[in-house]
Amino acid sequence: MAYPMQLGLQDATSPIMEELLHFHDHTLMIVFLISSLVLYIISLMLTTKLTHTSTMDAQEVETVWTILPAIILIMIALPSLRILYMMDEINNPSLTVKTMGHQWYWSYEYTDYEDLSFDSYMIPTSELKPGELRLLEVDNRVVLPMEMTIRMLISSEDVLHSWAVPSLGLKTDAIPGRLNQTTLMSTRPGLFYGQCSEICGSNHSFMPIVLELVPLKYFEKWSASML
């Protein structure tokens, strides 16, 4: 999860988020090089007294500064499209969980089980235990198995919401009357926090998401205890 004064993105927990981090660094380096070049040219034009009239009208220079930006855009677009298609792929999910947004809490249903569903409310600040995080803890966590492909079906019963978990690279809108889907897979166990990322009313800030990723044998014990 994020920590105070953090400048970068959260640590990646899924392969998709790792790809997004690499793409972020790749694009940031291109932007940094372009900014440095422009700053250098501006400072050069302000400090030198020489004016190359023949260079400013040269056909070769115009050709270069037309083709070079096109090449740079291709270098950004190709990795972006690759990640976009990777995020849309759904490869035989092992588990399906339906998520419904409400004002202002989330409800979850494990559709592969007959009767496994619950609501997830934020724990008020006055009821927090030592070590728990304000505005992020919930009374019922979403327990999922790690290293398995999980499909999330996301919708809403009232207004627009957005189900977002940054460390997994997930952000999917919950729209009334529409069922959106996304996939997640965690490469390590742990607690992963998220929040509603769509302004949905007065208590928008008070509907957190907590995913607890555990090994498969612990998930089976948990699901048996919930039935």
Side-chain angles (χ1 to χ4, degrees):
M1 61 171 292
Y3 54 86
M5 303 299 291
Q6 180 175 341
L7 297 179
L9 300 172
Q10 295 184 23
D11 292 338
T13 306
S14 66
I16 291 295
M17 189 58 189
E18 289 180 4
E19 293 287 342
L20 290 171
L21 283 175
H22 293 156
F23 177 68
H24 170 268
D25 296 340
H26 165 74
T27 309
L28 193 64
M29 186 56 63
I30 293 176
V31 172
F32 174 75
L33 292 175
I34 293 174
S35 302
S36 301
L37 178 62
V38 172
L39 184 62
Y40 171 72
I41 293 174
I42 291 175
S43 61
L44 204 64
M45 293 178 65
L46 293 175
T47 55
T48 183
K49 294 182 180 180
L50 300 176
T51 304
H52 302 281
T53 55
S54 59
T55 303
M56 299 301 291
D57 295 333
Q59 188 71 33
E60 293 81 4
V61 175
E62 293 185 6
T63 304
V64 169
W65 73 40
T66 301
I67 294 177
L68 193 59
I71 295 174
I72 293 173
L73 288 175
I74 291 173
M75 290 174 61
I76 296 174
L78 291 180
S80 175
L81 290 172
R82 172 177 166 269
I83 296 175
L84 193 63
Y85 279 103
M86 285 177 60
M87 294 176 70
D88 282 340
E89 284 184 0
I90 297 179
N91 298 319
N92 297 323
S94 305
L95 182 68
T96 300
V97 180
K98 185 170 74 175
T99 304
M100 297 294 292
H102 308 267
Q103 289 183 311
W104 287 271
Y105 65 95
W106 297 98
S107 62
Y108 299 94
E109 179 184 349
Y110 291 70
T111 58
D112 297 291
Y113 296 83
E114 283 189 8
D115 189 20
L116 181 50
S117 60
F118 52 83
D119 297 330
S120 181
Y121 291 86
M122 186 195 76
I123 299 177
T125 304
S126 58
E127 300 177 11
L128 288 176
K129 298 176 183 177
E132 292 185 335
L133 302 170
R134 178 176 172 271
L135 300 183
L136 288 177
E137 297 291 348
V138 295
D139 56 355
N140 289 310
R141 295 170 175 170
V142 183
V143 181
L144 297 171
M146 57 177 283
E147 295 180 338
M148 296 179 67
T149 303
I150 299 163
R151 176 173 55 189
M152 303 296 298
L153 301 177
I154 301 165
S155 186
S156 171
E157 283 202 354
D158 35 52
V159 299
L160 290 176
H161 300 280
S162 185
W163 198 81
V165 183
S167 59
L168 289 166
L170 297 175
K171 185 178 184 298
T172 304
D173 288 340
I175 303 171
R178 175 170 177 166
L179 201 62
N180 291 330
Q181 69 176 2
T182 186
T183 57
L184 65 91
M185 184 180 70
S186 174
T187 55
R188 56 190 172 94
L191 286 177
F192 306 103
Y193 294 88
Q195 289 178 300
C196 177
S197 298
E198 187 78 48
I199 297 176
C200 56
S202 59
N203 289 337
H204 159 67
S205 302
F206 308 117
M207 46 186 307
I209 301 159
V210 182
L211 302 184
E212 184 175 350
L213 276 302
V214 297
L216 180 59
K217 62 179 181 179
Y218 294 108
F219 171 76
E220 291 175 343
K221 291 180 181 178
W222 173 84
S223 60
S225 66
M226 293 290 290
L227 293 174

